[in-house]
Amino acid sequence: MITLTHYLVLSAVLFTLGVIGVLVRRNAIVIFMCIELMLNAVNVSFVAFAHYLNSMQGQMFVFFTMTVAAAEAAVGLAIIVAIFRNKETVNIDEMNIMKW
Amino acid sequence: MDAYLFYIVATIAVVAAVYLIFEKNPVYCALYLIQVMICIAVLYILLGAQFIAAVQIIVYAGAIMILFLFVIMLLNVNAEEERKDALPFQRVTAIFMGIVLFAAIFIILKSRLLQGEQGKYTTAYINEVGNTQVIGGLLFTEYLLPFEITSILLFVAAIGAIMLGKRKL
């Protein structure tokens, strides 16, 4: 029998992997993908709570999270393209203009 | 049956996520992320959220990830060249802190704080009315204001992407 805890542990594992990915990687696009992975992990726990509490709120929140993720992906990728046009790289180690 | 399916799909998702964060080629990274998303869609179906599962495949695995792949190919970023960490021991420290974060989340899960009230949308009720009908009904009644704000958000995002994409602002 699969309980709520199973889903929450899976969600925690995926979220942690996303955090590690953001900290480890150098490529801005891959870091962006890891952020999407974290959003997905949180969505899993939302839907699991909704199922086990007989509620619909979790699924509604996932719906809105997906919309925000789509908007975020569009703007974020546009920013990455703009940065690439100026610096010819997407490596975050070379984006240190604001560092003093 | 459900239990086996959960364990198989969860294992595939976690393995693909691990490959995602250690794979050098960004295109493979995107494909691994699509795999994770499809596994999560299967879990949504197991949890009785068919509409969300379909949206997950269409919007996430379809639209968003294709956008990622498109940008990767547009920018022509090849495999990350191996370089020294900007900070010493950054990689090891990052993995260690990730494990600490997981431990912290796990302790919260083990405590009994996660009890909630049972709502009225039982599986039997949702199956009788239909998952999509229930979501549609709620979207246009209880969640009407967030739904309308979402449209403004998407509009602003579209304008922002176009403005950022222009060569001369």
Side-chain angles (χ1 to χ4, degrees):
Chain A
M1 187 59 199
I2 299 297
T3 59
L4 176 60
T5 315
H6 286 78
Y7 282 100
L8 293 183
V9 169
L10 173 68
S11 167
V13 169
L14 289 177
F15 188 86
T16 310
L17 286 171
V19 171
I20 292 175
V22 168
L23 294 174
V24 164
R25 296 308 295 260
R26 289 280 168 280
N27 190 325
I29 297 174
V30 180
I31 288 175
F32 215 56
M33 285 185 214
C34 292
I35 293 173
E36 297 290 331
L37 179 65
M38 286 196 273
L39 284 169
N40 269 283
V42 174
N43 283 352
V44 171
S45 62
F46 266 133
V47 176
F49 271 119
H51 178 73
Y52 285 100
L53 292 176
N54 293 331
S55 168
M56 216 53 198
Q57 285 175 3
Q59 292 190 27
M60 302 309 297
F61 266 88
V62 170
F63 184 81
F64 291 119
T65 311
M66 281 177 181
T67 329
V68 172
E72 176 227 339
V75 176
L77 287 171
I79 291 172
I80 290 175
V81 171
I83 289 172
F84 185 82
R85 199 177 285 149
N86 284 328
K87 301 197 70 135
E88 292 290 318
T89 180
V90 287
N91 189 318
I92 54 159
D93 278 343
E94 296 178 24
M95 297 170 199
N96 51 9
I97 292 174
M98 286 180 81
K99 199 160 114 185
W100 54 284
Chain B
M1 180 59 199
D2 276 10
Y4 288 125
L5 195 56
F6 172 81
Y7 283 118
I8 293 167
V9 172
T11 313
I12 295 172
V14 171
V15 170
V18 170
Y19 271 102
L20 160 68
I21 63 175
F22 291 115
E23 172 62 50
K24 291 270 176 268
N25 191 334
V27 178
Y28 291 164
C29 284
L31 294 178
Y32 282 123
L33 187 53
I34 291 174
Q35 192 177 354
V36 174
M37 283 165 177
I38 290 170
C39 291
I40 289 174
V42 175
L43 292 179
Y44 288 163
I45 290 173
L46 279 180
L47 287 168
Q50 292 90 349
F51 178 76
I52 298 293
V55 171
Q56 169 92 1
I57 297 271
I58 295 167
V59 173
Y60 258 127
I64 295 180
M65 290 319 295
I66 295 303
L67 197 62
F68 272 97
L69 282 172
F70 195 69
V71 170
I72 290 169
M73 293 177 185
L74 187 74
L75 299 189
N76 194 20
V77 278
N78 295 318
E80 235 168 87
E81 66 266 45
E82 200 56 56
R83 58 171 63 229
K84 286 211 313 278
D85 285 351
L87 302 168
F89 306 115
Q90 183 178 355
R91 194 160 292 217
V92 180
T93 316
I95 292 170
F96 176 72
M97 294 312 279
I99 293 167
V100 170
L101 173 68
F102 178 73
I105 299 173
F106 197 75
I107 289 166
I108 295 169
L109 288 183
K110 276 288 150 196
S111 65
R112 288 278 159 201
L113 298 170
L114 300 172
Q115 305 292 340
E117 278 177 40
Q118 296 283 323
K120 67 169 186 167
Y121 294 99
T122 59
T123 312
Y125 175 79
I126 291 174
N127 284 343
E128 190 192 320
V129 181
N131 185 264
T132 313
Q133 282 87 335
V134 172
I135 286 183
L138 280 172
L139 262 187
F140 288 101
T141 54
E142 203 177 326
Y143 293 90
L144 184 62
L145 183 63
F147 184 65
E148 297 294 343
I149 293 172
T150 298
S151 70
I152 298 172
L153 175 76
L154 286 173
F155 182 56
V156 171
I159 294 174
I162 293 168
M163 286 306 289
L164 285 168
K166 277 172 77 166
R167 206 162 278 275
K168 277 219 167 95
L169 289 180

